[in-house]
Amino acid sequence: MDPDHHTPLRAVALVRTPSPSPAPSSSQLPAEQTMAAFTEHGVTGKTVRIADLAADTAHLAHLARRPKAAPHPAS
């Protein structure tokens, strides 16, 4: 391997929201801000809203479910 050769970094920010574009999403802005911060360091990529990729509503319902939080231990 050539130590002077660097492969450019790429990133994908997945926005997990049940609403397809252009509906508002509280997750969209943080994903875009994260990608903007990566860009400042030479990382290229894009933001993808999962709901725009999902083909059926059953899959969307599965994505929208959130795992139950574990109880906090007593301090």
Side-chain angles (χ1 to χ4, degrees):
M1 262 185 115
D2 181 0
D4 295 325
H5 177 74
H6 299 281
T7 303
L9 293 177
R10 291 178 281 180
V12 176
L14 298 175
V15 178
R16 186 177 172 226
T17 183
S19 306
S21 297
S25 167
S26 62
S27 302
Q28 188 77 30
L29 181 60
E32 290 173 356
Q33 291 171 333
T34 300
M35 292 306 296
F38 285 159
T39 300
E40 293 174 9
H41 297 280
V43 179
T44 60
K46 61 182 177 178
T47 302
V48 177
R49 192 180 279 205
I50 293 174
D52 292 342
L53 301 176
D56 64 312
T57 56
H59 185 63
L60 285 175
H62 171 72
L63 292 175
R65 285 195 299 268
R66 294 179 183 241
K68 293 182 180 178
H72 291 279
S75 24

